[in-house]
Amino acid sequence: MGEPVKLMENKEGMKTVKQGEDGLMLVFLLNLAEEKTAVFDCITHLTQDPESGLSDIVLAPVLSSTKEIISESIRVFFNEQTFTLIFLDRTQLQLLPLLPYNLLSVGMKMSNNSQVLMKQLSSVAWPLMDLDYPSTRPRILLSYNMDVWNRREEEEFPAMVQHTMRKVNRQGLKCAAIPRYVNFAQKSVFSDLLSDFQILLSDPGHFLHQCTLFNDVFNLKILLLLFDEDTLNCREESSGDNPAMVSAKMRHKEALSLILSNLRHHQEKGTFDAWNFVHSRNSVGQTLLHMVTIQGPEMEEQRTQILRLEIQLHCLSEASHDRDQISLKRCMRDQLKSSADSTIIQRQLEYMQGIPKTKHELKMEKCRVWSSLFFSVLLLGISYSSLDYGSDIILVTRYGHEINETTRDEFQKNCIELWNNGSDISIHCFPASLSSNEKFYMTLLFILWPYPFFIYAYLSSRQFKIGKERVYQAFINISKCSSFVSVFIQILNIIGYFFIFIGCCLVWPIAIQFIKFYQDAKFYISKDMERVERENKREKSEVLWNMSRAMEVSFEASFQPTLQLYLFFPTLFTLTIENKLLSIQLFGYEDGVLQPAQVVSVLTSIISLSWGFTSYYSVLKRGDMEKDIASLLRKIVFFLSLLFLIIPRLLVFVFFAYSLGPGNYKYLFVFIICHGFLMMVIHYILSDARTYLRHGFFSFLHHMIGNGFANIYVHNWIRTIYPPVQHVSTLVRQVVMDLVILTENAILLCYALNSNITELRDRQLIYSCLVMGLHLLGLVLKVVFYRYLHSWSWLIMDYKTQVDEQGCWRCSLPSDMFLLGELCHKDLTLCCVPSALTSRLCGRKPVRGPDIYTVPSSQCSADT
């Protein structure tokens, strides 16, 4: 029948347990002694039932006075197998190393409340993390009941335990173990548990699948020590996945890394051929690499491990380098679909092998870099700049031809007379009331407006300094030359640099794109130490390009659309009312104005404003908004926030210009100039502008004027000196500038809609909702970006709340910000509640003594 489980002394004096050779010892570890006794009594009662399927039952006598006997133990015979069941509580952990058990079951009382179950799973880590028991014996997490439950409801408990455990483990590996459920009050469920234990211990392949399914790293290490090839290649019947594929599908990084590391170790030792394992496919034809790749950047480390195995399998020697690379690329093509990920993997394989190596590979690499950058950087940028400036030049040419025309003088006089008499006038009076001279000179002025800043940017750039040094060196070489040919070559060099100087001054926005294109290409081609040196030059050229682009859109694109929309809006209004918005003829004239050129000018200016500032902000983040799809989404949200702030601002400017009277567009220009000076003052107070005085007065003036006019439509902070300042809070300056712009929009819109312009006055509600709605939507998107999508979003609103000695509740935000050129730490008070109000709300007297409560940034609740 069997004997009680007793502790025996070995040769070293340590007490161990003698166990039958053909039996399995299962240890049930409970938290409290009361739980252990209750479970033991429940199983004892269950085994006495003749229908339980258990036979040859032996109960160990309870001898509490003898410490050498484990009292709560039972031996049963089930399914042609002897099971010794031993029950321990938390105080008996020291007995585990003395027991030759086959499986440890860590018990946890089951609850049908998911919230309670989550707390239990979070706190059950004490036996799973303890090191007082052997680390080479498998274990599971056993959730149990001892009550009679509804059978249908109880069938949901195993899935409930697994789902809750995964939910807990997303916060960190707290209870990584194979979960099982049992009801000790039901004999069939307990018999199923013993059968499951028997399968787990007799079938290593099934056990390995369970480990990978639940990311059980503990048991996985035990199984990988044996490293059986058949176990590792064991497949699921339904999906055909091996254990590594299961880990990839469940996104269990720890389990997959263990398998791949162990696999590579045995591959290097020559004890295992990993070819079939790495290239095996499941029932739908997916390989392990494909399954890891579709999981995205989260499994980047595991993908690298697989690629190292692929390199080890394909690349045999330097002599067969070319043939091996073709074989490797064909293997990648067979496993992956044509996508961006497959392209990234090919580049990653080359970087991991140090390719390019041969001359042919070097030529192909250079050709690929130069061609890709030419189409993505140079050609696209030049085409857009040509489209923007081309439309403006067409308008200037057309307005120049209209200077000598006087056909509209009578109509202009009638409109001005109606306006002066206080009569209602139509919106169509305004384009005709603006003289040809004003249109020509205003359009030309807005084109030439940013050129002084372009010339200054070029004269202060690294490229101008290099050119100046080379011209100086050419003059020195002329004085040393002895032959006419040498002198002639040096003169040609000087003439060449002179033409470069003239070209950069005339078309600096296009010249800087060539500079960026060249520096980017040289950076991507360079290797080793040269790449480190090139990285600094590339970053400087990128900041210079974006600074020039920001200056261009701050001046030309800020003013030009106001004039062109001022002239084109009446036509746009008429086409919208008559539902003929798509009937604009490509080469049609309306009141002597070429419509498509104005449309292109307005659209390119609006897009330039939004995308130019977005691009500049993206460069400041050093590629953080360009690395993947999620980063692209953040960039789009930021771009849309700027777009929805710029469009209503532009409409407000045009409406305000109409309300000033026919032919008085120039006063809008005066208003924008005044607004620019106001932004200069705010920028000087809330930035590091004073530090630019150290670089000279012109550097300071360039910085101030640039930032003043960069804030006409939206908030911006243009850094005109490299390296740009990083990790400085802009919350206060953004709030101040956004409030100024919002207040101006509301006042100007109210003034314009109450003027005697028929189309505006009759549609006050529509235009008010359109303008203010778009502006508020832009602010909401801006808040969403900084609060949830910014790379440091968790630190932006890392606020704290406190109650001072008088009982006043205060919410403050620590902030490092510039104030009059000095970087200082400030505690910004976001909101506060007086002590009298807090005492009434809480029904208590004001608190004496400082009580500080620090809350996570993800919460927005106050202790009131």
Side-chain angles (χ1 to χ4, degrees):
M1 295 289 290
E3 299 179 355
V5 180
K6 296 186 179 181
L7 298 178
M8 309 293 293
E9 278 198 16
N10 58 15
K11 295 180 181 180
E12 289 80 11
M14 179 179 291
K15 296 179 180 180
T16 59
V17 174
K18 186 177 181 181
Q19 170 67 9
E21 296 180 358
D22 57 345
L24 295 177
M25 180 178 290
L26 308 178
V27 176
F28 294 86
L29 180 61
L30 289 308
N31 189 15
L32 301 175
E34 294 80 3
E35 295 180 11
K36 177 189 69 173
T37 305
V39 170
F40 176 74
D41 293 342
C42 188
I43 293 181
T44 303
H45 177 73
L46 182 66
T47 54
Q48 293 175 356
D49 189 345
E51 298 180 359
S52 63
L54 305 174
S55 59
D56 195 22
I57 303 166
V58 176
L59 298 178
V62 180
L63 301 174
S64 57
S65 59
T66 306
K67 297 182 178 179
E68 296 183 354
I69 297 178
I70 300 176
S71 54
E72 285 80 5
S73 61
I74 185 172
R75 184 176 299 158
V76 299
F77 186 79
F78 173 75
N79 200 15
E80 302 181 355
Q81 183 80 49
T82 301
F83 291 87
T84 301
L85 312 180
I86 300 178
F87 301 86
L88 302 176
D89 58 59
R90 187 172 184 174
T91 61
Q92 297 175 301
L93 276 176
Q94 71 277 3
L95 299 178
L96 281 177
L98 310 179
L99 296 172
Y101 62 87
N102 301 98
L103 185 66
L104 173 65
S105 299
V106 180
M108 181 191 71
K109 187 66 180 293
M110 180 64 189
S111 173
N112 61 345
N113 188 320
S114 60
Q115 297 296 328
V116 176
L117 184 61
M118 185 175 292
K119 292 181 180 179
Q120 291 175 337
L121 285 168
S122 300
S123 61
V124 80
W126 63 268
L128 301 180
M129 302 299 293
D130 205 305
L131 300 178
D132 291 340
Y133 52 88
S135 59
T136 57
R137 311 277 177 81
R139 68 190 183 195
I140 67 167
L141 177 65
L142 184 64
S143 55
Y144 67 90
N145 273 326
M146 295 181 295
D147 305 320
V148 179
W149 289 76
N150 183 294
R151 182 64 178 171
R152 182 174 299 177
E153 180 183 3
E154 197 171 28
E155 290 177 353
E156 301 176 358
F157 283 173
M160 182 178 176
V161 173
Q162 296 174 13
H163 174 73
T164 309
M165 190 176 75
R166 289 193 181 103
K167 192 174 181 180
V168 171
N169 284 337
R170 288 193 192 104
Q171 305 169 3
L173 289 176
K174 297 185 177 181
C175 54
I178 299 174
R180 288 295 184 266
Y181 170 78
V182 65
N183 192 330
F184 291 120
Q186 295 184 1
K187 50 183 176 293
S188 60
V189 179
F190 181 67
S191 300
D192 294 341
L193 178 68
L194 292 181
S195 299
D196 192 12
F197 286 169
Q198 194 173 17
I199 295 173
L200 278 177
L201 296 174
S202 61
D203 187 355
H206 174 67
F207 204 164
L208 186 61
H209 269 280
Q210 293 295 305
C211 293
T212 55
L213 186 62
F214 297 101
N215 204 20
D216 186 358
V217 180
F218 181 86
N219 288 326
L220 186 60
K221 291 178 180 178
I222 298 173
L223 292 172
L224 290 178
L225 288 175
L226 306 175
F227 197 81
D228 181 65
E229 186 172 348
D230 295 333
T231 302
L232 203 59
N233 288 307
C234 180
R235 303 294 190 95
E236 285 186 346
E237 294 183 3
S238 59
S239 63
D241 294 332
N242 60 31
M245 292 178 178
V246 174
S247 297
K249 185 183 293 184
M250 301 300 295
R251 203 178 289 184
H252 290 158
K253 298 183 288 185
E254 293 81 6
L256 183 56
S257 291
L258 274 175
I259 294 175
L260 293 174
S261 300
N262 200 277
L263 190 68
R264 188 180 180 192
H265 172 69
H266 286 275
Q267 171 71 21
E268 291 174 350
K269 289 176 61 178
T271 57
F272 180 72
D273 186 8
W275 181 277
N276 293 330
F277 180 84
V278 173
H279 300 119
S280 61
R281 298 176 183 269
N282 59 10
S283 57
V284 295
Q286 295 175 326
T287 62
L288 179 61
L289 177 60
H290 177 80
M291 300 178 74
V292 170
T293 302
I294 61 178
Q295 296 294 340
E298 190 172 346
M299 301 195 74
E300 178 69 27
E301 180 183 351
Q302 289 71 32
R303 188 176 71 181
T304 303
Q305 288 180 288
I306 298 173
L307 294 181
R308 292 191 184 279
L309 273 172
E310 292 282 8
I311 294 172
Q312 193 173 2
L313 292 171
H314 286 87
C315 302
L316 304 177
S317 67
E318 292 291 335
S320 59
H321 172 75
D322 293 338
R323 187 172 63 254
D324 292 342
Q325 291 305 311
I326 296 297
S327 173
L328 179 59
K329 291 183 183 297
R330 284 176 177 170
C331 181
M332 294 297 103
R333 186 180 62 182
D334 292 340
Q335 297 186 59
L336 301 171
K337 299 177 181 179
S338 297
S339 62
D341 290 328
S342 62
T343 304
I344 293 173
I345 286 176
Q346 291 186 57
R347 300 299 303 159
Q348 192 172 358
L349 283 170
E350 293 177 357
Y351 290 142
M352 292 168 67
Q353 299 177 77
I355 294 176
K357 294 181 179 179
T358 65
K359 292 182 178 179
H360 175 70
E361 289 173 346
L362 286 170
K363 290 180 180 179
M364 293 296 293
E365 175 73 6
K366 290 181 179 180
C367 213
R368 186 192 64 82
V369 170
W370 285 102
S371 59
S372 61
L373 288 176
F374 173 78
F375 287 103
S376 62
V377 176
L378 187 61
L379 184 62
L380 185 63
I382 292 178
S383 300
Y384 186 82
S385 298
S386 301
L387 183 65
D388 187 10
Y389 279 100
S391 61
D392 294 339
I393 292 173
I394 291 174
L395 290 173
V396 169
T397 305
R398 177 57 193 171
Y399 297 150
H401 290 313
E402 292 179 0
I403 291 179
N404 298 324
E405 297 179 6
T406 59
T407 56
R408 290 180 291 166
D409 290 346
E410 190 66 28
F411 182 73
Q412 180 180 4
K413 292 178 182 178
N414 293 335
C415 289
I416 295 175
E417 184 177 352
L418 289 173
W419 177 268
N420 293 332
N421 294 333
S423 303
D424 293 343
I425 65 172
S426 172
I427 201 172
H428 294 278
C429 288
F430 293 92
S433 299
L434 196 63
S435 66
S436 299
N437 284 326
E438 289 180 314
K439 289 188 292 185
F440 173 78
Y441 289 115
M442 282 287 184
T443 305
L444 183 62
L445 174 63
F446 296 153
I447 293 176
L448 301 178
W449 178 261
Y451 269 86
F453 301 93
F454 291 162
I455 294 174
Y456 176 80
Y458 171 60
L459 295 179
S460 60
S461 67
R462 172 177 164 271
Q463 283 70 29
F464 174 74
K465 295 177 182 178
I466 294 175
K468 185 174 66 173
E469 291 174 358
R470 290 181 179 177
V471 169
Y472 176 74
Q473 186 64 38
F475 278 110
I476 294 177
N477 293 336
I478 289 175
S479 62
K480 297 179 180 179
C481 290
S482 57
S483 65
F484 174 78
V485 176
S486 301
V487 173
F488 182 73
I489 292 174
Q490 296 299 328
I491 292 175
L492 289 179
N493 288 335
I494 295 173
I495 295 173
Y497 283 116
F498 175 76
F499 280 113
I500 291 175
F501 172 78
I502 297 299
C504 288
C505 291
L506 291 178
V507 287
W508 175 246
I510 295 178
I512 191 62
Q513 294 192 36
F514 277 96
I515 295 172
K516 183 179 184 300
F517 164 69
Y518 175 79
Q519 293 295 344
D520 285 354
K522 296 296 287 185
F523 170 77
Y524 288 118
I525 292 174
S526 61
K527 303 290 182 183
D528 304 327
M529 291 299 296
E530 184 185 358
R531 170 162 283 206
V532 177
E533 297 173 358
R534 282 284 175 187
E535 196 272 339
N536 190 28
K537 296 179 181 178
R538 172 177 174 263
E539 189 170 320
K540 285 183 178 180
S541 67
E542 203 159 45
V543 171
L544 181 63
W545 173 71
N546 278 276
M547 182 189 70
S548 300
R549 182 65 179 156
M551 288 294 180
E552 178 189 358
V553 300
S554 298
F555 292 96
E556 190 271 336
S558 294
F559 293 93
Q560 194 71 263
T562 60
L563 174 61
Q564 305 310 325
L565 189 61
Y566 179 90
L567 299 172
F568 180 69
F569 186 79
T571 303
L572 181 65
F573 177 83
T574 302
L575 293 174
T576 305
I577 295 298
E578 297 177 357
N579 294 323
K580 297 180 180 179
L581 192 59
L582 301 179
S583 65
I584 300 178
Q585 298 181 6
L586 292 178
F587 299 100
Y589 288 89
E590 180 71 24
D591 292 332
V593 178
L594 186 62
Q595 295 177 2
Q598 287 184 325
V599 174
V600 172
S601 178
V602 172
L603 291 180
T604 54
S605 295
I606 292 175
I607 295 174
S608 295
L609 282 167
S610 304
W611 191 252
F613 292 140
T614 302
S615 177
Y616 177 74
Y617 184 83
S618 177
V619 168
L620 291 180
K621 299 306 174 186
R622 304 174 192 275
D624 180 61
M625 298 175 68
E626 298 175 352
K627 60 183 181 180
D628 51 27
I629 298 298
S631 301
L632 181 61
L633 175 63
R634 292 188 293 172
K635 197 170 186 177
I636 291 174
V637 171
F638 189 77
F639 169 76
L640 291 177
S641 70
L642 296 180
L643 186 65
F644 290 145
L645 290 172
I646 289 169
I647 292 176
R649 181 74 166 169
L650 180 59
L651 289 174
V652 167
F653 282 157
V654 173
F655 293 167
F656 177 64
Y658 288 157
S659 67
L660 296 176
N664 290 329
Y665 168 82
K666 53 184 173 293
Y667 297 117
L668 172 65
F669 181 71
V670 174
F671 172 81
I672 295 176
I673 296 294
C674 295
H675 171 82
F677 280 105
L678 175 61
M679 292 294 106
M680 289 183 204
V681 174
I682 298 175
H683 175 74
Y684 180 80
I685 297 173
L686 298 174
S687 73
D688 59 340
R690 289 177 60 184
T691 59
Y692 286 81
L693 285 170
R694 304 170 188 169
H695 301 274
F697 176 75
F698 287 104
S699 174
F700 173 75
L701 189 63
H702 174 253
H703 175 78
M704 290 297 298
I705 295 177
N707 278 278
F709 290 98
N711 290 279
I712 292 175
Y713 290 87
V714 292
H715 164 268
N716 279 293
W717 188 351
I718 309 299
R719 279 80 162 182
T720 55
I721 290 181
Y722 181 86
V725 181
Q726 297 283 335
H727 306 310
V728 177
S729 174
T730 59
L731 177 63
V732 174
R733 62 176 282 132
Q734 290 207 50
V735 170
V736 172
M737 291 186 177
D738 285 340
L739 284 176
V740 170
I741 293 174
L742 180 61
T743 304
E744 286 181 355
N745 282 355
I747 295 174
L748 297 183
L749 183 64
C750 182
Y751 181 81
L753 295 181
N754 287 280
S755 63
N756 55 341
I757 303 172
T758 307
E759 289 82 358
L760 297 184
R761 190 180 62 244
D762 294 345
R763 293 167 178 81
Q764 290 181 350
L765 181 60
I766 296 176
Y767 287 131
S768 298
C769 294
L770 175 65
V771 171
M772 301 310 295
L774 285 177
H775 192 99
L776 293 177
L777 179 60
L779 291 178
V780 169
L781 289 176
K782 188 176 183 179
V783 171
V784 169
F785 172 80
Y786 280 102
R787 187 64 186 89
Y788 300 105
L789 303 178
H790 193 274
S791 55
W792 303 108
S793 57
W794 292 105
L795 300 178
I796 290 177
M797 289 300 291
D798 188 20
Y799 59 85
K800 64 180 180 180
T801 62
Q802 68 178 23
V803 180
D804 58 19
E805 296 180 357
Q806 289 74 29
C808 177
W809 178 87
R810 189 182 307 275
C811 178
S812 59
L813 177 68
S815 177
D816 294 323
M817 54 177 288
F818 277 105
L819 187 62
L820 292 175
E822 299 293 334
L823 183 62
C824 52
H825 181 81
K826 297 288 184 181
D827 283 334
L828 306 176
T829 301
L830 301 181
C831 58
C832 61
V833 180
S835 58
L837 185 58
T838 57
S839 61
R840 290 184 180 182
L841 290 175
C842 302
R844 63 190 182 194
K845 296 181 179 180
V847 180
R848 294 295 180 183
D851 296 328
I852 298 177
Y853 309 94
T854 302
V855 298
S857 60
S858 60
Q859 298 179 0
C860 192
S861 59
D863 186 21
T864 57

